[in-house]
Amino acid sequence: MLSIKNLHASIGDKEILKGINLEVKAGEIHAIMGPNGAGKSTLSAIIAGNENYEVTQGEIFLDNEDISELAPEERAHKGVFLSFQYPVEIPGVSVTNFMRTAINETRKANGQEEMPANEMLKVIREKSELLEIDRKFLSRSLNEGFSGGEKKRNEIFQMAMLEPKLAILDETDSGLDIDALRIVANGVNKLKSDKNAIVVITHYQRLLDYIVPDFVHVLYNGKIVKSGGKELAHELEEKGYDWIKQEQEA
Amino acid sequence: MELKEKLLSSFMAFEERIDVHAELHDVRTAALKNFENKGFPTKKEEAWKYTSLNAVLKNDFTVFPKQENTVQYADVKKYFLHEIDTYKVVFIDGVFSSHLSATTHEGIDVCLLSSALNKPKYKEIVDTYFNQIVNKEESLTSLNTAFANEGAYINIPRNKVADKPIEIMYFSTGNEAALLVQPRNLIVVGENAQVQIIERHQSLNENPVLTNSVTEIFAQKRAFVDVYKIQNDSLSANLVDNTYVSQKEESSVAVNTFSFGGNLTRNNLNFYHFGERIVSYLNGITIIGEKQHVDHYTLVHHATPNCESHQDYKGIFTDRSTGVFNGKIFVEKEAQKTNAFQKSNNILLSDKATINAKPQLEIFADDVKCSHGCTIGQLDETAMFYMQQRGIPKKEAKALLMYAFSNAVIESIKIPELKQRITKIIANKLGVKMGFDL
């Protein structure tokens, strides 16, 4: 589904990604781990099309289509979703209205009719129950005054509403207490199917106890330096990242 | 002939046409004298540094329309808040239109200044209030006073609450090649009384118009007054709005100015406090493009203790448009425990757009809280990326962000239908149709 080939990217003069290769198939969960500053968030932003970064080399394919030149919204319309580490506050626009706009713009781009209002309400009810979100919450301004946990839960609620092919969860566990973490992970697991794929970006192994990955990759200094199964996450949890750094610098 | 000469020479003819009593004649003559001495303001004056009337004044304005013009309601319905019932005081090219208006004398007075100025039963009120709070040194205000004859007269007596909003509407038909109109409004809101007022100046074709309007608002003890000024006029329309607000103790007055259009717009908004525990709100949203110019020139004069003022102005500028925000807060020595806040937030969407923001605080009391903040920026790129990531195209994402940016001011609109109308105008301005009522 997602195929990244020799991806190099920089911001200004600084090269951040130095040749990333990654293959994610439908039905798989991949975890990308690594120390701070390794380029994890950059990678997720670039897959989603953030124009602040310049891709200097390499390609990103989604279902065999090169998406590296597409605008962020075009990638979203094709099924790419990025759960933000720091979701943005939008005063005066309710969660419901934001979702209505996002869904209908996506449908429009894909040549579909707008979702009828009653169906929209039904889906909203269903998905908010899945994330244990209170109805009152949905009429509040998007992310404005939300706690860290509420913001993250709201991101996964949006993921549930948009049903993406490829979901990238960027540090979704940061700022979550254990109960919220369980709710969010439970939501993600219920959304998982053999037709979609999930890439979890995280510094800690904690989230991976709940969202169990098929593959774990270690990103260091702009490159994937190690890949393995879920046991690699445990190894990292035990030993930290220093041995990776030492291995690389040796 | 230059406009100034034309005005000076037509004064006698003007006074002959209308029925004036002696006191008014003296007021007018003094005002004309001041205008004659000072003339139209130029950029040499500090207060007009960023706004030039030169190009506008080159038009050959008709000072008095030659004929009475009529307008069909169906053609102008869209400018009214027709979703709800309102009182209406409507003028066409400066002349009262009875068939478009809905005035009243039942419990409250919503009618014409010309009749208030001339009928004996209003004499006491006119003597007490007319021309009492204006800045008599200001030349454009003086010019208006000299020719003041028509406009809205609103009197909400003590303990009365106006049962519906009042719309004051000035249409110009464009039947004259270029027209100067000088409306004069007098609004008196008694003790414990309440009223909501919507004011709009609208030209109906592309001929140049210059409106030099003066409004005096007197809010007595514990009065509540909400004023909404809608400025969404054609590119040939120019407006100088001089509004003077006098507040007595515990009164609350809000003036909300929505500047979306016109060629040149200058809002001189002045608040004066006469009593304790007064609250004043000055809110504004400005969204302009092309070569439009909007200048907000505000003054809040804190003269008494324990009062508050809140200024919140949001501006979005595209193309070659220019904006000015000059906010003056004056706190006299006696005005201890004053809370005076001022915010002017601006977004420039093009390299050619400019905004001049200038806070002016003069504080002579030592126990006060005053703050001001001017920001000038571009649209938040992270927020744009966030919305685009959710599938919302750039144009719509931009619109949502600008809506969010002006939201605090939109939220202060207390008439739901008006709030909807303003959000719709904003959506139109931004060129988007959202899936919900923006």
Side-chain angles (χ1 to χ4, degrees):
Chain A
M1 173 179 292
L2 175 71
S3 173
I4 297 176
K5 296 197 164 104
N6 190 30
L7 185 68
H8 290 253
S10 47
I11 186 160
D13 290 336
K14 200 176 167 221
E15 189 174 38
I16 298 175
L17 300 184
K18 302 169 180 170
I20 301 267
N21 292 291
L22 182 68
E23 294 287 332
V24 178
K25 295 198 176 64
E28 293 177 350
I29 298 180
H30 287 240
I32 296 177
M33 302 182 71
N36 289 331
K40 303 191 297 288
S41 287
T42 303
L43 177 61
S44 57
I46 287 173
I47 298 171
N50 190 328
E51 283 149 5
N52 282 338
Y53 301 94
E54 196 193 345
V55 173
T56 49
Q57 233 188 100
E59 290 105 27
I60 305 167
F61 292 91
L62 184 75
D63 287 337
N64 301 319
E65 184 193 353
D66 186 357
I67 59 165
S68 35
E69 296 291 313
L70 297 185
E73 64 269 29
E74 293 171 309
R75 300 185 199 205
H77 298 155
K78 291 186 186 295
V80 176
F81 179 88
L82 169 64
S83 167
F84 278 53
Q85 187 176 358
Y86 305 107
V88 175
E89 297 185 5
I90 314 213
V93 179
S94 69
V95 176
T96 305
N97 279 336
F98 185 69
M99 266 351 297
R100 191 175 293 159
T101 309
I103 286 180
N104 283 333
E105 288 295 345
T106 302
R107 290 174 75 112
K108 199 160 85 190
N110 291 323
Q112 293 167 293
E113 295 274 302
E114 285 194 357
M115 189 185 275
N118 54 348
E119 194 186 330
M120 183 79 73
L121 286 176
K122 207 181 118 221
V123 183
I124 288 178
R125 193 177 313 132
E126 235 173 73
K127 307 292 184 180
S128 57
E129 276 166 19
L130 176 70
L131 274 305
E132 300 178 33
I133 286 174
D134 192 77
R135 298 283 289 284
K136 270 184 253 155
F137 183 85
L138 299 171
S139 52
R140 284 171 60 186
S141 286
L142 186 68
N143 291 324
E144 196 186 29
F146 287 16
S147 70
E150 285 173 329
K151 283 183 183 171
K152 294 302 172 68
R153 208 189 291 187
N154 181 43
E155 290 291 280
I156 305 305
F157 166 70
Q158 294 187 39
M159 171 184 163
M161 291 293 297
L162 292 163
E163 299 184 325
K165 251 191 239 171
L166 171 73
I168 306 159
L169 311 183
D170 186 10
E171 306 278 3
T172 296
D173 50 335
S174 70
L176 288 187
D177 63 34
I178 196 73
D179 293 325
L181 185 70
R182 205 174 287 133
I183 293 167
V184 162
N186 183 37
V188 172
N189 287 328
K190 283 203 179 130
L191 295 170
K192 182 80 209 54
S193 78
D194 56 2
K195 292 193 179 58
N196 59 26
I198 295 169
V199 176
V200 181
I201 305 230
T202 182
H203 185 81
Y204 303 104
Q205 176 265 346
R206 190 171 76 131
L207 180 65
L208 305 180
D209 286 341
Y210 298 92
I211 304 173
V212 181
D214 302 296
F215 301 95
V216 174
H217 311 276
V218 180
L219 188 66
Y220 177 68
N221 199 14
K223 278 184 187 160
I224 289 177
V225 295
K226 216 171 201 43
S227 294
K230 64 177 180 237
E231 64 290 345
L232 179 56
H234 290 284
E235 200 179 342
L236 287 166
E237 180 74 4
E238 260 170 50
K239 301 182 4 193
Y241 288 107
D242 283 349
W243 62 283
I244 300 270
K245 293 182 191 170
Q246 279 156 17
E247 252 185 42
Q248 288 306 305
E249 276 147 25
Chain B
M1 200 186 331
E2 291 245 330
L3 184 58
K4 184 180 169 187
E5 315 310 320
K6 196 193 260 181
L7 285 160
L8 293 175
S9 65
S10 58
F11 181 66
M12 264 173 67
F14 163 77
E15 276 215 315
E16 252 166 47
R17 261 186 343 136
I18 56 167
D19 201 13
V20 242
H21 46 82
E23 290 102 325
L24 268 182
H25 168 76
D26 294 345
V27 169
R28 286 204 173 94
T29 310
L32 191 78
K33 195 90 207 144
N34 186 51
F35 172 70
E36 186 175 5
N37 289 339
K38 299 215 165 91
F40 285 102
T42 67
K43 288 182 97 168
K44 285 188 194 122
E45 290 161 51
E46 190 59 29
W48 288 82
K49 197 172 164 190
Y50 300 108
T51 298
S52 169
L53 291 174
N54 277 352
V56 175
L57 295 176
K58 284 198 180 105
N59 288 298
D60 185 20
F61 287 111
T62 301
V63 180
F64 307 112
K66 289 175 198 74
Q67 59 185 62
E68 271 190 35
N69 294 305
T70 53
V71 171
Q72 294 311 308
Y73 179 65
D75 297 329
V76 293
K77 184 183 170 195
K78 62 179 178 185
Y79 300 117
F80 291 98
L81 200 60
H82 53 78
E83 299 89 340
I84 55 169
D85 196 15
T86 57
Y87 294 113
K88 296 174 187 68
V89 196
V90 184
F91 303 89
I92 298 168
D93 295 334
V95 180
F96 177 64
S97 162
S98 60
H99 87 281
L100 291 180
S101 296
T103 57
T104 185
H105 292 292
E106 283 171 35
I108 61 176
D109 286 314
V110 179
C111 60
L112 301 183
L113 186 72
S114 57
S115 49
L117 290 180
N118 294 314
K119 287 185 185 161
K121 76 169 187 180
Y122 298 109
K123 188 172 183 302
E124 199 189 322
I125 291 208
V126 169
D127 287 348
T128 314
Y129 298 107
F130 180 75
N131 211 41
Q132 292 307 308
I133 191 64
V134 297
N135 177 356
K136 296 190 178 71
E137 296 301 308
E138 207 278 316
S139 66
L140 289 175
T141 301
S142 295
L143 175 62
N144 177 290
T145 303
F147 291 92
N149 180 47
E150 198 54 292
Y153 168 70
I154 295 168
N155 183 17
I156 315 292
R158 203 171 157 213
N159 294 331
K160 290 274 182 192
V161 175
D163 55 331
K164 43 194 181 185
I166 301 167
E167 290 186 89
I168 307 174
M169 191 73 86
Y170 293 94
F171 291 115
S172 42
T173 59
N175 289 353
E176 305 288 345
L179 181 68
L180 169 72
V181 278
Q182 302 208 69
R184 177 78 172 218
N185 305 310
L186 177 60
I187 297 162
V188 181
V189 186
E191 206 173 312
N192 281 322
Q194 293 187 26
V195 65
Q196 294 175 317
I197 295 164
I198 302 161
E199 181 191 347
R200 188 163 182 165
H201 302 265
Q202 192 68 45
S203 54
L204 302 174
N205 80 2
E206 298 305 316
N207 280 336
V209 178
L210 171 59
T211 302
N212 177 37
S213 161
V214 171
T215 302
E216 290 180 277
I217 299 172
F218 295 87
Q220 307 295 10
K221 276 187 204 171
R222 290 183 296 281
F224 270 82
V225 184
D226 264 325
V227 179
Y228 303 93
K229 292 175 184 280
I230 304 174
Q231 301 168 347
N232 191 24
D233 214 340
S234 74
L235 282 174
S236 55
N238 306 283
L239 171 67
V240 180
D241 177 314
N242 307 281
T243 296
Y244 296 91
V245 182
S246 158
Q247 286 187 258
K248 291 234 173 108
E249 59 242 57
E250 290 174 47
S251 63
S252 168
V253 177
V255 175
N256 305 279
T257 309
F258 303 98
S259 309
F260 302 134
N263 172 53
L264 180 151
T265 307
R266 162 80 173 217
N267 290 299
N268 293 320
L269 180 55
N270 308 277
F271 278 73
Y272 303 93
H273 288 181
F274 301 95
E276 296 198 26
R277 292 175 299 282
I278 288 165
V279 190
S280 308
Y281 297 96
L282 300 80
N283 295 316
I285 299 178
T286 305
I287 304 178
I288 52 171
E290 304 192 47
K291 285 170 93 175
Q292 293 176 305
H293 179 87
V294 172
D295 181 346
H296 292 290
Y297 197 90
T298 68
L299 164 71
V300 182
H301 191 125
H302 284 273
T304 43
N306 298 311
C307 296
E308 288 174 34
S309 64
H310 303 265
Q311 301 187 52
D312 195 352
Y313 282 82
K314 312 287 186 200
I316 298 171
F317 304 89
T318 61
D319 305 328
R320 290 165 172 273
S321 62
T322 49
V324 183
F325 175 79
N326 188 105
K328 187 166 178 178
I329 299 173
F330 194 90
V331 183
E332 284 195 22
K333 207 173 159 196
E334 294 73 30
Q336 298 294 359
K337 307 277 181 200
T338 288
N339 280 325
F341 305 108
Q342 182 187 85
K343 259 197 301 190
S344 162
N345 307 116
N346 303 285
I347 291 182
L348 298 179
L349 293 174
S350 105
D351 295 343
K352 303 251 162 61
T354 56
I355 166 84
N356 289 293
K358 185 174 164 199
Q360 269 180 289
L361 277 65
E362 289 182 37
I363 301 168
F364 299 96
D366 52 17
D367 184 13
V368 299
K369 267 188 216 156
C370 292
S371 74
H372 64 90
C374 291
T375 60
I376 298 169
Q378 280 89 33
L379 280 184
D380 179 353
E381 280 182 26
T382 313
M384 284 294 291
F385 176 54
Y386 183 74
M387 288 192 274
Q388 286 176 271
Q389 205 301 301
R390 298 299 137 93
I392 301 173
K394 213 167 194 164
K395 190 173 170 193
E396 280 73 15
K398 221 177 186 179
L400 271 185
L401 261 194
M402 290 192 263
Y403 178 73
F405 172 76
S406 24
N407 184 254
V409 174
I410 295 171
E411 285 303 316
S412 64
I413 304 175
K414 295 203 186 87
I415 305 169
E417 293 78 8
L418 182 65
K419 191 166 159 182
Q420 235 170 40
R421 181 70 70 85
I422 297 287
T423 48
K424 225 165 242 169
I425 297 177
I426 292 178
N428 282 343
K429 271 311 261 194
L430 305 174
V432 291
K433 194 182 165 293
M434 307 300 299
F436 56 94
D437 275 335
L438 186 80

